[in-house]
Amino acid sequence: MFAAARAAGVARSASVAFRRTYSTESSGLKDRLAEIIPQMKTDIAEFRKEYGEASLGNVTVNQAYGGMRGIKCMVTETSVLDADEGIRYRGHTLFECNDKLPKAEGGSQMLPEGVFYLLLTGEIPTDAQVAALSREFAERAELPAHVTTMINNFPDKLHPMAQFSAAVTALSSESLFSKAYSAGVPKDKYWETTYEDSLNVIAKIPVIAALIYRNVFKDGTVAALELDKDISYNYANQLGFGDNADFVDLMRLYLAIHADHEGGNVSAHTCHLVGSALSDPYLSFSACLNGLAGPLHGLANQEVLIFIKGAVEEMGTETPTDQQLIDYTWSLLNSKRVVPGYGHAVLRVPDPRFVCQQQFAEKYIPNDNYVKLVHQIFRLVPGVLKEHGKAANPWPNVDAHSGVLLQHYGLTEMNYYTVLFGVSRAIGVLASLTLDRALGLPLERPKSMSTEGLKKFVTK
């Protein structure tokens, strides 16, 4: 469909100048990790020595059949999800992160580079450290020729997430960890090349994601990378939205708030699980993307947007009265349908990620009808769900808002939205994978049982 344009796109990509050496201005992140890791290992060793046999709680039969929800059986250092206050990145709420982490010049939102530094170290980086990290990501972003060729040869009908996962898998040829492992690197050094691979993944995937977007939905041309810009600007610019400062700031917010959500969700758990087999970060993150692609995980924001557009069509207006919206919600519930984007497996409050997007929308696009409708739903629908009585959590999650923001700025291709999520999620899961290797976490191997075995176990 875009064969000729793609050829031009390849030529343009090939003309982009990338420096082969890394910046002399270091973020100091790797050196800081090298200082922190020994103390982390000592703290954990002492904790396990004293409390290693302490129980974390009972496991019920219903939990075994119910997706293991609520079972405390993993360690994730980067973030913790509290049912009553939402996600905390190394102890900081998202609102605190946006207040404390560095921002781009003229920008109002935290930079994802700062989130990555925080997740790895637990420390708030300086402006200079984040600027150096932005530069380092830009200098690592060049794609191998075989990956670019592979992406340009994908058929348009192949879903963007399938293209994304396949391209990341193909990047495994560049893994420094795999080379070091084959050469017999000591276990206590595994984290060092895992860190290098992780930075390379985070640096390269926005370029992959932009090339997929431009191939599938546009003319195949991709703008040159700008080495002095942050990762969100370059991603937005390569998508084709770099001239809209508000959209660039939205990308900073989007990548930051979707980065991590503790370790039990499908994408984070998959990356940890595959990584525990010592698969390299490219393969581990590709597996993460395959989990994220599922309709019960990363596709949820797309389903919310479809729902909102369907609601507008059924109600016959983008600006319903409160009573029209309440009546419509009851008609949904009475016909055994649901309100997508409302309810969360853990949260019992409005998702702070929803609130962050709500605040952005109120500041920048308060008069957009779909934004108004999303906020009207937030104001009215939880009360209806409570009265209905079957929703344990009547509050919105992150997916209830993100789609209308993207639509407003012209990124209307819903099949692409999960790719955005994947670009963001790399920041959290690869920070966590680096720490997994640093702390020497073992191969994950839980015990499974058959139904017959469970019957015997509980009745003996």
Side-chain angles (χ1 to χ4, degrees):
M1 184 177 182
F2 295 120
R6 288 187 184 188
V10 175
R12 184 171 183 179
S13 297
S15 69
V16 177
F18 288 90
R19 287 173 54 187
R20 292 287 180 178
T21 57
Y22 295 159
S23 175
T24 55
E25 294 182 30
S26 171
S27 65
L29 178 52
K30 191 174 184 181
D31 291 339
R32 184 60 184 138
L33 271 177
E35 295 171 351
I36 292 171
I37 286 167
Q39 186 59 53
M40 290 181 68
K41 294 172 73 172
T42 297
D43 289 346
I44 291 170
E46 291 176 353
F47 174 63
R48 292 185 66 180
K49 182 177 179 180
E50 184 171 357
Y51 296 103
E53 299 305 316
S55 173
L56 295 178
N58 296 321
V59 177
T60 67
V61 170
N62 280 339
Q63 286 177 306
Y65 281 103
M68 300 188 291
R69 295 192 178 187
I71 298 174
K72 299 178 180 68
C73 59
M74 295 179 63
V75 176
T76 303
E77 305 289 356
T78 51
S79 64
V80 174
L81 180 59
D82 185 275
D84 297 316
E85 62 179 10
I87 195 68
R88 282 182 177 265
Y89 289 171
R90 287 299 194 111
H92 301 272
T93 67
L94 291 181
F95 310 112
E96 292 168 345
C97 287
N98 206 22
D99 181 56
K100 296 176 182 179
L101 289 173
K103 299 173 177 61
E105 184 176 353
S108 64
Q109 305 300 318
M110 58 183 152
L111 289 168
E113 293 92 326
V115 171
F116 184 64
Y117 193 107
L118 172 64
L119 293 178
L120 274 172
T121 66
E123 299 170 352
I124 300 293
T126 65
D127 289 357
Q129 288 170 324
V130 168
L133 194 53
S134 293
R135 178 82 180 193
E136 188 168 359
F137 281 136
E139 290 172 343
R140 291 171 179 255
E142 184 176 15
L143 299 183
H146 72 273
V147 174
T148 303
T149 300
M150 177 184 184
I151 296 169
N152 284 315
N153 285 327
F154 282 139
D156 292 338
K157 67 181 180 180
L158 184 63
H159 194 284
M161 277 299 283
Q163 295 190 34
F164 194 16
S165 172
V168 173
T169 297
L171 278 175
S172 180
S173 61
E174 312 304 298
S175 174
L176 300 176
F177 172 80
S178 293
K179 292 179 177 65
Y181 183 83
S182 296
V185 67
K187 288 183 178 180
D188 64 353
K189 301 294 185 183
Y190 283 175
W191 75 269
E192 295 181 1
T193 46
T194 298
Y195 169 87
E196 297 292 346
D197 276 356
S198 295
L199 259 67
N200 288 334
V201 173
I202 294 169
K204 294 177 191 302
I205 59 174
V207 181
I208 290 174
L211 182 54
I212 291 169
Y213 177 78
R214 300 296 300 182
N215 278 351
V216 175
F217 302 111
K218 304 297 180 181
D219 63 0
T221 60
V222 180
L225 205 73
E226 298 185 32
L227 295 181
D228 61 342
K229 297 291 188 179
D230 61 275
I231 200 168
S232 304
Y233 171 85
N234 272 317
Y235 183 31
N237 192 46
Q238 291 194 313
L239 287 173
F241 299 91
D243 59 349
N244 189 321
D246 290 349
F247 181 86
V248 172
D249 237 13
L250 174 62
M251 278 297 96
R252 292 171 181 140
L253 175 66
Y254 187 99
L255 298 184
I257 66 176
H258 286 80
D260 210 34
H261 218 232
E262 73 170 32
N265 65 77
V266 170
S267 55
H269 189 191
T270 302
C271 187
H272 168 79
L273 173 63
V274 175
S276 78
L278 296 185
S279 298
D280 69 55
Y282 298 97
L283 299 178
S284 301
F285 181 63
S286 179
C288 158
L289 290 175
N290 290 333
L292 187 65
L296 295 183
H297 192 10
L299 283 183
N301 63 352
Q302 180 177 329
E303 293 187 339
V304 169
L305 188 56
I306 292 171
F307 161 77
I308 291 174
K309 290 187 172 185
V312 166
E313 184 176 347
E314 290 187 44
M315 290 187 291
T317 178
E318 295 179 358
T319 56
T321 65
D322 285 357
Q323 191 58 52
Q324 280 179 296
L325 183 56
I326 290 171
D327 291 343
Y328 176 72
T329 304
W330 275 113
S331 71
L332 286 177
L333 300 175
N334 290 333
S335 61
K336 309 300 182 184
R337 296 157 69 189
V338 299
V339 181
Y342 278 71
H344 190 277
V346 178
L347 284 172
R348 294 297 174 262
V349 294
D351 190 333
R353 300 172 299 175
F354 173 93
V355 178
C356 285
Q357 293 178 104
Q358 180 187 34
Q359 292 173 347
F360 182 95
E362 288 173 343
K363 180 177 180 179
Y364 292 103
I365 50 173
N367 296 319
D368 182 285
N369 281 344
Y370 278 91
V371 165
K372 288 181 178 179
L373 180 56
V374 166
H375 296 177
Q376 186 181 16
I377 291 171
F378 175 43
R379 180 166 53 84
L380 298 174
V381 166
V384 175
L385 294 174
K386 284 181 180 179
E387 186 178 347
H388 185 253
K390 291 188 178 180
N393 168 26
W395 302 111
N397 58 52
V398 65
D399 302 308
H401 208 311
S402 53
V404 297
L405 291 174
L406 298 171
Q407 289 276 312
H408 174 87
Y409 287 106
L411 207 165
T412 58
E413 298 85 2
M414 288 188 286
N415 275 352
Y416 187 77
Y417 288 176
T418 315
V419 175
L420 290 170
F421 198 161
V423 171
S424 171
R425 187 47 56 97
I427 295 165
V429 300
L430 294 175
S432 188
L433 182 62
T434 300
L435 292 177
D436 290 348
R437 298 275 168 86
L439 300 176
L441 297 189
L443 177 71
E444 185 175 294
R445 180 60 170 87
K447 170 64 178 170
S448 67
M449 298 181 73
S450 65
T451 296
E452 187 61 30
L454 284 172
K455 289 177 180 180
K456 290 179 180 179
F457 183 82
V458 299
T459 57
K460 66 180 179 181

